[in-house]
Amino acid sequence: LYAKDEANGDTSVETYQKGELLTYSAETLKLLLKEIQEMETRGESFAFAVQENSVKNLGYASMDDAEKSMREILLRRMQK
């Protein structure tokens, strides 16, 4: 969902991220940019790292583990 597609009270990741970034100081933004650029040179994705950290904070071992769990939950719900 992009900002241009927001409707019915939905907030896009784009709008959420922009709002969050606007709260950061110039120094924090510089450091964040540097970190993202360094990750890219290592072939890593900042967005994936944020998502994986989020699922780990929820108790999953990895993104794959979280996705597997969600598939199992959805399948169980569909079988009811």
Side-chain angles (χ1 to χ4, degrees):
L1 180 65
Y2 294 95
K4 66 179 179 58
D5 301 319
E6 291 177 343
N8 302 319
D10 294 333
T11 302
S12 68
V13 172
E14 179 183 1
T15 296
Y16 176 83
Q17 189 66 61
K18 182 178 179 182
E20 184 172 332
L21 291 172
L22 288 170
T23 68
Y24 294 178
S25 69
E27 183 62 23
T28 298
L29 289 170
K30 288 177 192 175
L31 292 169
L32 180 59
L33 177 59
K34 181 180 178 202
E35 177 65 21
I36 292 169
Q37 290 171 331
E38 289 173 358
M39 290 180 79
E40 287 177 349
T41 63
R42 295 190 305 263
E44 299 172 3
S45 165
F46 178 77
F48 184 84
V50 169
Q51 292 173 346
E52 187 162 58
N53 189 54
S54 295
V55 299
K56 285 182 177 180
N57 283 330
L58 292 171
Y60 297 99
S62 66
M63 186 74 80
D64 287 339
D65 186 39
E67 289 176 353
K68 180 181 176 190
S69 179
M70 294 309 305
R71 276 192 299 275
E72 291 170 357
I73 290 168
L74 290 172
L75 287 173
R76 280 195 300 268
R77 287 183 182 172
M78 291 171 56
Q79 292 172 352
K80 290 183 180 182

